[in-house]
Amino acid sequence: MKPLPVLENVSVSNDELRNWPLEYIRHLHIEMGQQCNVRCSMCYQTDFSPKTKLPDVAWKEHLKPVYQHLQSITMQGGEPTILPNCRELVQMIVRDYPHVTLDTVTNGVLWKGIWEESFLAQGSAVNFSLNAIDPDLYAKIVQFGRYEDVIENIDRMVCRRRETGSKLIMRTSTVVLEETVHELPRFLQWSAEHGMDQVLFHTDPSLSAKPKDTRAVQKFIAEAYDVAEKYPHVRVIALNEFDWFYATVKKIEPVRPRDLFKRAASPCGLAFDNLFVSCTGIARPCCKSWFPLGNLIEDPIEKVWNSRAAFLFRKRMLNLDFRDCLTACDLNANPIDYRLSQLRKYIWVARREPKKAVDRAKRKLGLTNAQLDIPVQSK
């Protein structure tokens, strides 16, 4: 497989950037739809309709030349296990592209059957969005979730992975919320005891800055660091990012000195070998950048991959310009102020989908959430 010049410390000309080879695509992150069988309180989605899905022309036709070059494909919903087109994509990859590994994020409620078998055979990673360890807290955050079923599915997957010798990486994740920040150490402890390989803490700028008791929050962060050191075989992802972000917003020192997780001053490789495709067909460098490269419903991959926007983004990246990347990202080597970052993101979304931008803004401001107001039935 041909190495990427930018990752091999080789200078790249403008002409090369304008004609970036399609064979350099290593990773595809594709949002197949937004239908979901649960409603999480912090969810950013504003549309859960089965009709909101990536059209076949995008993933069956326009993206077809990409699959042969991939190392991995990440499938996202909504909830992948209830999306018919996502199931079809899994079947196609397993049947026609055995060299491509599978990666996904699921709430775990329906993790069985084709999902379990395909990922044991050809999976690189599965992320269970658990979001809370305490069953009562889980019930408040994940409406329509089934805690016992999710835990059973996770534990069964761990056992089957051991029995089959699968190399699948299993991960749990949580979005750090005001009501869950106290669970940071417990979340790590539970994950380690249940056989997880990785634990991921999501930092949402509009949610993670809300806890006001800074002493208590930093106490939980410190305890989480201590638990992480007890289980060195478990990779803890982005706990330090939350530590740094929270300290920056509250104008205090982080629990661990920032120098310990200083980012390397180098371009992000995802700008050159990765592609994220939303269910509306909009292609972006990755899920943590909002810079649009083109639309794969309207155009073939060759045109989008080497669009003027793609050239501009890669050129900026070589100059360590991360203006259109999420601040709380471990690959962001030169983060701008997170407020400016959020503003730029909102402007880009508003340009493309003004109604969705307004709906998301309301949700981020806490004026609405994804959960449903279910009327109480009179007896």
Side-chain angles (χ1 to χ4, degrees), residues 30-35 45 47 49-50 52-54 76-79 83 85-86 278-279:
I30 185 168
E31 184 185 55
M32 298 300 287
Q34 295 201 322
Q35 184 182 7
Q45 285 189 193
D47 179 4
S49 171
T52 307
K53 61 181 182 179
L54 185 66
Q76 177 183 327
E79 170 52 37
L83 295 172
N85 63 350
C86 200
S278 75
C279 64

Side-chain angles (χ1 to χ4, degrees), residues 330-366:
D330 57 349
L331 299 178
N332 190 333
N334 189 23
I336 62 175
D337 183 270
Y338 86 94
R339 298 174 185 84
L340 178 58
S341 170
Q342 288 297 101
L343 177 61
R344 289 186 63 82
K345 179 179 180 180
Y346 182 80
I347 290 172
W348 275 114
V349 174
R351 285 180 180 178
R352 300 191 300 264
E353 300 167 293
K355 183 180 182 304
K356 180 179 287 188
V358 172
D359 291 342
R360 285 192 176 185
K362 289 180 180 178
R363 185 156 295 171
K364 293 296 185 182
L365 291 171

